[in-house]
Amino acid sequence: MEHGSREERVRRSTPRMGVAPNPGASSSGAHGAARAVELETLLEEHSEGMLVRTGLTCRHGFFPILYCCWSGPDTGRRFLACSQVEQPCDFKYWIDEQFEGRAKRVIQDLVSMRHSMSELYEHSSRQWDDMYADRQRVKQQIHELKCTIREQRERIVILICFSIVIACGICSLC
């Protein structure tokens, strides 16, 4: 197990490709621990995809965005990365240390289950859309059949009336 504050462990395991966090501050002792708690508190208030004003900046000089890795060996780990969409720099600051052993397997299983649930949702959505389209087709067919029945009824009434007129005409000749 590694020793030191959470921030120190993060810094040691973080390949800093952008600006170092708070370069003028000492990361040892109470100040480092306080900064780690402050960073963790700040990150708890933000959700994935939000711009985070941590004091860190990327090579462009912008505040980074909070991300969570959803694939590969770093699954489940949070990190800060460049907020530029079109031309992001290579700034990446890992928040969480790498997971080991059972924690890593559980996280990978959860991500796998999330993926399976997403596939199930997509499949169910397609089935729902197909069923709805079938229902709309059946409703249209019922409407068309009702119109056909109405037209047939009208023809039958006309035939009956015509038959009565002809029968009355034949009876009057007798």
Side-chain angles (χ1 to χ4, degrees):
M1 173 159 288
E2 292 187 51
H3 298 287
S5 73
R6 176 182 176 80
E7 182 182 55
E8 289 170 5
R9 288 191 313 268
V10 169
R11 280 203 182 125
R12 281 196 299 267
S13 67
T14 302
R16 283 187 302 275
M17 299 175 215
V19 177
N22 200 359
S26 168
S27 63
S28 62
H31 182 72
R35 174 129 168 89
V37 170
E38 178 184 319
L39 181 64
E40 188 63 35
T41 303
L42 178 66
L43 292 171
E44 285 176 6
E45 296 170 0
H46 290 77
S47 60
E48 186 176 348
M50 289 183 69
L51 190 69
V52 182
R53 297 179 191 276
T54 59
L56 301 173
T57 56
C58 69
R59 290 184 184 207
H60 296 111
F62 298 120
F63 290 112
I65 290 181
L66 178 63
Y67 292 97
C68 186
C69 187
W70 289 106
S71 62
D74 293 315
T75 299
R77 289 179 69 195
R78 297 172 302 163
F79 63 96
L80 299 173
C82 181
S83 59
Q84 289 285 53
V85 176
E86 293 182 15
Q87 294 181 340
C89 65
D90 57 358
F91 172 80
K92 188 178 277 189
Y93 183 86
W94 289 101
I95 305 299
D96 301 311
E97 58 189 70
Q98 287 187 327
F99 300 111
E100 298 295 330
R102 177 154 171 72
K104 189 172 190 172
R105 286 191 307 275
V106 167
I107 290 169
Q108 288 172 341
D109 288 347
L110 288 171
V111 169
S112 176
M113 287 171 27
R114 177 181 181 259
H115 180 69
S116 297
M117 293 302 289
S118 294
E119 287 177 350
L120 180 62
Y121 173 77
E122 291 297 322
H123 178 70
S124 298
S125 292
R126 283 191 300 274
Q127 280 185 322
W128 176 260
D129 292 343
D130 292 345
M131 288 176 13
Y132 183 77
D134 288 345
R135 180 178 185 262
Q136 294 303 103
R137 277 193 295 277
V138 168
K139 282 175 74 173
Q140 181 63 33
Q141 289 173 346
I142 289 171
H143 176 73
E144 291 170 1
L145 287 172
K146 284 181 177 181
C147 289
T148 302
I149 290 170
R150 192 173 312 121
E151 290 170 2
Q152 294 296 332
R153 236 187 246 147
E154 290 171 359
R155 289 181 185 148
I156 291 172
V157 168
I158 291 171
L159 283 173
I160 290 173
C161 291
F162 186 69
S163 299
I164 292 173
V165 169
I166 291 177
C168 288
I170 291 176
C171 288
S172 65
L173 293 175
C174 299

